[in-house]
Amino acid sequence: MLKFTKAVCRWIYLSLSRKGMKIKSASESRSPIKIGHRGAAGYCPENTFASFHRALLLGVDFLEMDVQMTKDGELVVIHDSTVNRTTNGKGKVKDLTLKEIKALDAGSWFDSRFSSEKIPSFGEFLDAFGGKVGILLEIKNPSLYPGIEEKIANELLKRGLTSLEGPQVIVQSFDQYSLKKFHQLVPSIQIGVLVKKITGKGISDQELVSFSSYASFVNPKITMVSKRLISRIHQHGFKTFIWTVKNRNEVDFLRHYHVEGLICDFPDFL
Ligand code: G3P
Ligand code: CA
């Protein structure tokens, strides 16, 4: 049984204040914040409650997750545009109703122990985790889902999750049009531009300048990362989260790069 000694109270206080913190720039903070990729995707079926709870147990500051939309206009938490890889069903998310999606087993593909896991609706996810831990929300394939930005904004607004108080919500995407639109809808939420380019092709100064009208983060794929790229991102006034860290060597290598956050499948490696 946990005794509320002075030391335990201090630990709880420090944990809660860290989870509610404003993200410090790498020059102000000694270590990057911990972001659980699709929860703790290395240990549990990605983007399920099992995965998000495991990530919390492993002490993440933020849960990274992906949002898409069903045929009947409901928001769901899933990475791929089809249910084929991560459930026992088949088909595109946009061609299935929420009821059909909820009938699927979203855990057995990973391990039979997770056979009761379902694809969470976005509302269920927010009710469980909103305001308790940071949320790094990726708008996935928004061009497939007209109006998805407004729906996401409404879900956040009605739960009071757009204020600057408490654990933050940050919205990211590869789709710059969608990010600009979201920024206009909810200017108080910080935006991250995801960037994935083949090795050797960096991010031009012109691109960095264009992101600065709406984004606060530029988040490159780990294979693109160099000290020069990180320093250019910082010089243009952005913070940066690197994705996706999958092993301890990558954590060690990135520690020298002074980035604000690491998005990891195994959050305990951080
Ligand atoms: O958070 C960044 C990362 O999740 C983007 O890639 O494919 O894992 O969604 P993906
Ligand atoms: Ca993602």
Side-chain angles (χ1 to χ4, degrees):
M1 172 96 160
L2 185 65
K3 283 205 181 139
F4 284 83
T5 60
K6 226 172 166 182
V8 170
C9 289
R10 181 168 161 70
W11 175 80
I12 292 172
Y13 169 76
L14 287 174
S15 308
L16 291 176
S17 42
R18 183 164 167 77
K19 299 218 178 301
M21 72 194 170
K22 185 171 166 290
I23 294 162
K24 292 181 176 153
S25 69
S27 55
E28 296 169 306
S29 164
R30 274 190 303 154
S31 53
I33 63 163
K34 278 189 188 192
I35 305 161
H37 186 232
R38 308 179 200 168
Y43 294 117
C44 295
E46 63 188 54
N47 281 325
T48 61
F49 270 79
S51 188
F52 296 128
H53 283 300
R54 179 69 68 89
L56 288 187
L57 279 176
L58 297 176
V60 296
D61 302 298
F62 274 74
L63 295 172
E64 191 270 348
M65 42 81 76
D66 306 284
V67 179
Q68 309 205 47
M69 194 158 81
T70 64
K71 183 179 174 183
D72 47 348
E74 300 290 339
L75 299 176
V76 284
V77 181
I78 183 168
H79 177 271
D80 296 2
S81 60
T82 75
V83 298
N84 303 359
R85 180 178 61 87
T86 57
T87 75
N88 59 344
K90 281 218 174 324
K92 293 180 181 167
V93 174
K94 74 180 182 65
D95 294 337
L96 297 165
T97 62
L98 180 64
K99 192 171 172 203
E100 287 166 334
I101 283 197
K102 277 290 179 188
L104 302 174
D105 164 357
S108 293
W109 70 275
F110 188 88
D111 189 296
S112 56
R113 286 180 296 130
F114 296 105
S115 61
S116 58
E117 292 302 318
K118 301 287 176 199
I119 293 175
S121 71
F122 184 47
E124 288 168 341
F125 173 87
L126 291 180
D127 289 342
F129 304 111
K132 297 184 181 131
V133 63
I135 296 172
L136 179 58
L137 183 168
E138 180 176 351
I139 311 180
K140 208 72 180 167
N141 307 314
S143 58
L144 297 177
Y145 312 112
I148 190 170
E149 296 83 6
E150 285 86 350
K151 287 193 184 243
I152 292 172
N154 284 340
E155 293 295 323
L156 295 171
L157 282 164
K158 75 184 185 201
R159 291 174 177 81
L161 294 172
T162 57
S163 86
L164 297 173
E165 298 301 313
Q168 247 187 297
V169 176
I170 298 173
V171 168
Q172 61 173 0
S173 183
F174 290 103
D175 187 315
Q176 292 163 35
Y177 173 80
S178 178
L179 290 175
K180 282 181 209 162
K181 187 170 171 190
F182 193 87
H183 177 64
Q184 280 167 2
L185 289 169
V186 194
S188 62
I189 288 192
Q190 292 197 309
I191 298 288
V193 183
L194 285 166
V195 189
K196 171 170 58 178
K197 294 201 180 174
I198 47 168
T199 315
K201 291 212 171 174
I203 308 172
S204 70
D205 281 344
Q206 205 181 355
E207 284 173 297
L208 288 170
V209 169
S210 76
F211 300 158
S212 63
S213 62
Y214 59 93
S216 308
F217 291 79
V218 173
N219 300 337
K221 186 173 178 172
I222 189 169
T223 49
M224 296 175 61
V225 169
S226 66
K227 280 204 169 150
R228 186 171 140 68
L229 176 66
I230 300 304
S231 131
R232 286 179 57 244
I233 288 173
H234 284 151
Q235 277 164 14
H236 279 80
F238 298 104
K239 294 172 185 170
T240 186
F241 295 156
I242 308 302
W243 54 279
T244 300
V245 178
K246 291 180 188 280
N247 62 57
R248 291 184 196 276
N249 287 344
E250 290 172 341
V251 177
D252 291 342
F253 142 83
L254 286 165
R255 281 206 194 285
H256 304 291
Y257 281 60
H258 305 298
V259 298
E260 282 72 24
L262 298 178
I263 302 170
C264 188
D265 280 346
F266 304 90
D268 52 325
F269 288 3
L270 302 178

